[in-house]
């Protein structure tokens, strides 16, 4: 059973109320009306998604659209190499906005930017990305590895059921997201080789993954207060990998640990500026911040419907 430590009410494991001490004194008290709240739960490729809204939109259907590229990493059998939570003293929207755009990458994330083509306009790196996509299935051995899919925010199949995947290229000579761009762990899941690409995933409004052939990095944004947000980062490696023999945890986490610390630095200072008396918003970049604009439109639309 579950027992509430406050007043001692007792619940069955299915959430129904078993006993409520002395509540028979209340006329008409119906134990069946006071069970624990039920949550919507979906388990997809080893990831557990929980939604406390009983009327939440279907999420499993939309997730099926990324089953091929996400399935390549065999997350059900992957190993968590490390997890860390970074507290950011800023509103969650500022934290999410920062993740959704790479306009700042070239200036704020030098280590990331020298490896990842996402820091450039699409037209400038299109030949690199296309060359990677042309070889990705042959090199990785995974059908559908380069398959794009985007239904997010206002375009999602249901409220909050955002699903996205895109594979983008790394610059020549770089194979993964590490300090030097070289492999730091055995290949993940069903992947047979390094194609010079990385998989970018979104699952819901606040959960994202950046997946390399030898490691996966999960980002989850958790609002804690008006001016406090947790960035939870989880690093995955192949389930058979042994720390100290097959991988060094510090080498696996180096790039995204340092990048997240850089994000904490710029987001906190951005928050101070936004909350000053002299703040005036500037224009969004039409390409680099396009996804960010989709989020803002979705947020404002949601506020408007809530007020109706």
């Amino acid at each position: 059973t579950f027992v509430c430590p406050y007043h001692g009410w007792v619940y069955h494991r299915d959430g129904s109320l078993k006993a409520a001490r002395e509540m028979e004194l209340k006329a008409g008290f119906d134990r069946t009306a006071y069970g624990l709240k039920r949550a919507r739960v979906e388990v997809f490729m080893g990831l557990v998604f929980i939604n406390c809204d009983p009327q939440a939109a279907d999420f499993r259907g939309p997730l099926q659209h990324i089953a091929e590229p996400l399935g390549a990493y065999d997350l059900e059998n992957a190993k968590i190499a490390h997890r860390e939570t970074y507290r950011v003293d800023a509103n969650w929207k500022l934290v999410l906005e920062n993740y959704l755009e790479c306009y700042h990458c070239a200036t704020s994330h030098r280590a990331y930017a020298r490896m990842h083509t996402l820091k450039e306009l699409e037209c400038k790196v299109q030949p690199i990305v296309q060359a990677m996509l042309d070889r990705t299935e042959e090199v990785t051995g995974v059908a559908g590895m380069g398959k794009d899919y985007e239904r997010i925010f206002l375009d999602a199949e249901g409220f909050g059921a955002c699903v996205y995947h895109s594979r983008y290229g790394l610059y020549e000579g770089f194979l993964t997201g590490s300090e030097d761009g070289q492999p730091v762990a055995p290949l993940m899941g069903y992947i047979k080789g390094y194609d010079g690409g990385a998989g970018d995933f979104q699952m819901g409004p606040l959960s994202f993954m950046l997946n390399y052939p030898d490691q996966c990095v999960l980002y989850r944004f958790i609002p804690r207060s008006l001016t406090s947000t947790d960035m939870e980062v989880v690093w995955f490696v192949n389930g058979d990998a042994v720390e100290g023999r097959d991988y060094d945890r510090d080498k696996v986490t180096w790039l995204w640990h340092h990048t997240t610390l850089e994000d904490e630095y710029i987001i906190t200072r951005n928050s101070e500026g936004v909350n000053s008396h002299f703040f005036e918003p500037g224009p969004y970049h039409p390409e680099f911040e396009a996804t960010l604009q989709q989020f803002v439109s979705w947020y404002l639309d949601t506020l408007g419907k809530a007020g109706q």
Side-chain angles (χ1 to χ4, degrees):
T1 59
F2 298 106
V3 181
C4 174
Y6 196 8
H7 296 109
W9 286 23
V10 182
Y11 302 87
H12 292 287
R13 290 176 61 186
D14 66 1
S16 60
L17 181 60
K18 178 181 180 181
R21 186 170 51 86
E22 310 295 358
M23 284 302 292
E24 66 271 9
L25 293 181
K26 180 175 176 62
F29 180 74
D30 180 6
R31 280 188 302 174
T32 63
Y34 295 96
L36 299 175
K37 300 294 185 183
R38 292 185 176 274
R40 293 281 296 276
V41 178
E42 290 290 353
V43 180
F44 183 74
M45 297 193 169
L47 301 174
V48 182
F49 298 93
I50 300 172
N51 195 321
C52 292
D53 178 5
Q55 305 303 319
D58 170 63
F59 199 28
R60 173 162 291 274
L63 286 171
Q64 294 296 335
H65 294 290
I66 59 172
E68 289 177 293
L70 189 62
Y73 304 93
D74 191 24
L75 291 173
E76 297 98 321
N77 298 304
K79 176 181 180 179
I80 293 178
H82 184 62
R83 69 192 314 150
E84 189 162 342
T85 299
Y86 303 80
R87 176 61 56 90
V88 183
D89 293 327
N91 183 272
W92 68 273
K93 294 186 292 298
L94 292 176
V95 181
L96 183 60
E97 283 188 355
N98 177 78
Y99 188 89
L100 291 176
E101 55 96 344
C102 209
Y103 195 24
H104 70 282
C105 291
T107 50
S108 298
H109 302 311
R110 301 298 176 86
Y112 169 88
R114 69 190 180 93
M115 304 178 213
H116 298 74
T117 60
L118 201 62
K119 62 105 173 183
E120 284 286 4
L121 291 171
E122 185 177 343
C123 62
K124 293 184 177 182
V125 295
Q126 195 275 335
I128 298 174
V129 176
Q130 189 57 53
M132 179 274 298
L133 291 173
D134 289 344
R135 64 177 177 261
T136 187
E137 291 195 7
E138 180 180 355
V139 172
T140 64
V142 178
M145 190 66 164
K147 180 181 177 182
D148 282 357
Y149 185 79
E150 181 176 355
R151 291 287 300 273
I152 60 175
F153 299 121
L154 285 175
D155 193 40
E157 292 185 41
F159 179 77
C162 304
V163 175
Y164 170 87
H165 171 255
S166 179
R167 191 161 189 82
Y168 66 93
L170 305 176
Y171 288 109
E172 185 176 354
F174 298 109
L175 301 177
T176 189
S178 62
E179 187 172 7
D180 60 1
Q182 300 308 301
V184 290
L187 289 164
M188 294 288 298
Y190 307 108
I191 299 173
K192 304 302 182 183
Y194 293 88
D195 64 342
D200 200 14
F201 295 88
Q202 179 177 352
M203 294 161 284
L206 298 171
S207 298
F208 304 83
M209 291 194 85
L210 179 56
N211 294 355
Y212 303 98
D214 63 340
Q215 57 173 305
C216 299
V217 186
L218 170 70
Y219 267 80
R220 192 162 71 102
F221 300 100
I222 309 168
R224 294 300 186 191
S225 73
L226 185 63
T227 55
S228 181
T229 306
D230 283 349
M231 292 193 293
E232 183 184 23
V233 186
V234 184
W235 287 265
F236 298 85
V237 294
N238 187 295
D240 295 329
V242 177
E243 184 177 1
R245 185 191 72 186
D246 300 313
Y247 70 94
D248 181 315
R249 184 177 64 177
D250 290 339
K251 290 183 178 180
V252 170
T253 62
W254 188 91
L255 179 63
W256 287 101
H257 171 65
H258 284 272
T259 301
T260 304
L261 292 178
E262 292 166 349
D263 278 332
E264 189 273 338
Y265 180 88
I266 58 179
I267 296 167
T268 300
R269 281 149 184 79
N270 184 37
S271 177
E272 292 173 352
V274 167
N275 286 288
S276 76
H277 293 296
F278 303 99
F279 173 68
E280 292 184 19
Y284 286 128
H285 190 279
E287 180 177 323
F288 282 121
E289 298 178 306
T291 306
L292 169 52
Q293 293 179 70
Q294 288 181 270
F295 162 67
V296 172
S297 297
W298 172 76
Y299 183 78
L300 293 176
D301 181 75
T302 302
L303 284 182
K305 290 178 179 176
Q308 292 176 357

